[in-house]
Amino acid sequence: MSNHSFDKQVSPETYICHGPFDPDVFGGVVNPPVYHASTVIFKTCKELETRHQALFHDAEDEVMYYGRFGTPITFAVQKALAELEGGHRALLVPTGLAACTSALLALVKTGDHILVSSSVYGPTRGFVNNVLSRMGVSATYFDPTIGAGIADLFQENTTVVFTESPGSQTFDIQDIPAITRVAHAHHARVILDNTWATPLFFKPFDHGVDVSVHAATKYIVGHSDAQMGLITANEETWPAIRSLVYLYGLHAAPDDVYLAQRGLRTMALRLERHQASALKIARWFEERDEVEQVLHPALPSCPGHEIWKRDFTGSSGLFSVVLKPGYSKEAVQAFIDNLEYFGIGFSWGGFESLAIPFNPVKDRPEYRWPYQGEAFRLQIGLENPDDLINDLNNAMRHLHNQD
Ligand SMILES: *Cc1c(COP(=O)(O)O)cnc(C)c1O
C-alpha cells in the first residue's frame, strides 16, 4: 500500500492517499514525520564526499545533506505535487510570491525582455517593476486574452512569458496552449501561476508550460495557517530552477511543510465542496438585478468560458462580481461590512469565506476594464452554501440603503 507512483491508471484522489509516502521508511507510521534539522551528521568524511557528489554533481534529489536542502517530509510532498502536476520535479519555497519571483530569476539575465500578463498577481508585478528592472530586465504587460496574438509582442531578446490563468481578480482565462506554441517558436520559456486551478484542475505541462508556480498557501495548505510556495519544472528548466532556489537559500520550514502535507490529503475533497458551493453562489448572483457580470470561468456567461471548458477539468472557490453602475463605493463597503460569514481579508483557499472589494484599473495602467460598476471578490469556503446565500441576501440590502 505504499510508495505508489502516479500513472494515469490511478486517480489523483487515490494517489494523494497512498503515494508517494512510504510508511515502511518511517517505522510504519502512515504520515512522514517532521524533521527539525539544520545539521545532518555523516558517518565518515567519505560519506560526506559521496553525498556532496550526489547533490551537487549528479544533481540527485532527496539527498540528506543539510537542513536547507530538505528532509524526507519535504521530499515526499515535493514528489507528490510534481506528479499531480505532471511535471519533472518540484521544490517547496517559503511563500507563493517566492515561487513566482524565483522562477523568474532562474530564467532571466540582464538584457532580457519578458512578457507578463496584465492580470498577474500584484506583488509579482511589483517584483518585475522594482527588482527585475534594476537588473536590466525589461517587461511588456500583455492583455490576458491576447492568445496567439502575443506573437506581435516578441522582441529579439524576449526569453520568458509569465502567465496566470485565470487572473485572481478579473478571472480572464488565457489561451495557454496558443501562448506556449508562440513562445516556444521564439525560444522563450513560459511560466504559469496555476494557483487558482490547483494541480487538480489544470495540467500545465500537458499544455506546454515550462514552469508552474503555486501559492500553496491557498488550496494546498488549505487551512489559512501557513505560507508555502511550489515551483514545478519540466526537465529542461529544472536545473536552472533547482540551482537558483539552492543558491538563494530558500527553505520551506518543516512545520509548514507538514501543514502542506496534511492539507494535501484532503485537497481533492475540499475542492469538490469549494467548487460546488462557489458555482451555486455564482449562479445565484447571476439572477440578481444588481449584478452586471459574474466573473466565474465555469459560467457560460463569463468571458473566456469556452477556453476554460476546453482546457480545465474543474473550478475552485474564488470568483468576482461586478455590479451595475450606480452603486457607490460606500454602498459596496456597507454590503461587505455587514456580511456575517465572510471575513474581510487577503488570501483564499482556506476553510472560511472571504470578501474584498477591488479596483483593477488602479494598479494596471495598461488594462482595459470594460465595466463601470463597482466590483468585489469572494472566496467561498466550506460553510453550508445556503447559509452563505442567506448572508449575502441579507447584506445586499445595504447596497440600497445608502443615500
Ligand atoms: C496569494 C497568491 C500568491 C502569493 O502567495 P503567498 O503565499 O501569499 O506569497 C501568488 N499568486 C497568486 C495567484 C496568489 O493568489
Side-chain angles (χ1 to χ4, degrees), residues 67-131:
R68 205 169 63 218
F69 299 96
T71 62
I73 188 171
T74 329
F75 305 150
V77 177
Q78 287 172 169
K79 185 162 182 220
L81 288 165
E83 298 224 12
L84 283 178
E85 282 226 285
H88 175 60
R89 297 275 188 278
L91 279 171
L92 293 170
V93 294
T95 65
L97 182 58
C100 299
T101 60
S102 318
L104 279 165
L105 277 176
L107 300 183
V108 298
K109 61 183 186 311
T110 299
D112 283 358
H113 168 255
I114 64 172
L115 293 168
V116 181
S117 167
S118 150
S119 60
V120 79
Y121 178 63
T124 303
R125 177 188 287 258
F127 178 80
V128 168
N129 292 351
N130 297 293
V131 181

Side-chain angles (χ1 to χ4, degrees), residues 94-100 119-124 162 164 166-168 193-196 213-218 226-229 318 346-348 377:
T95 65
L97 182 58
C100 299
S119 60
V120 79
Y121 178 63
T124 303
F162 194 104
E164 181 178 325
S168 65
D193 186 330
N194 197 27
T195 302
W196 182 84
V213 294
H214 285 265
T217 305
K218 310 284 164 59
Q227 305 260 180
M228 183 72 53
L318 190 78
F346 291 109
S347 203
W348 38 279
R377 186 182 79 176

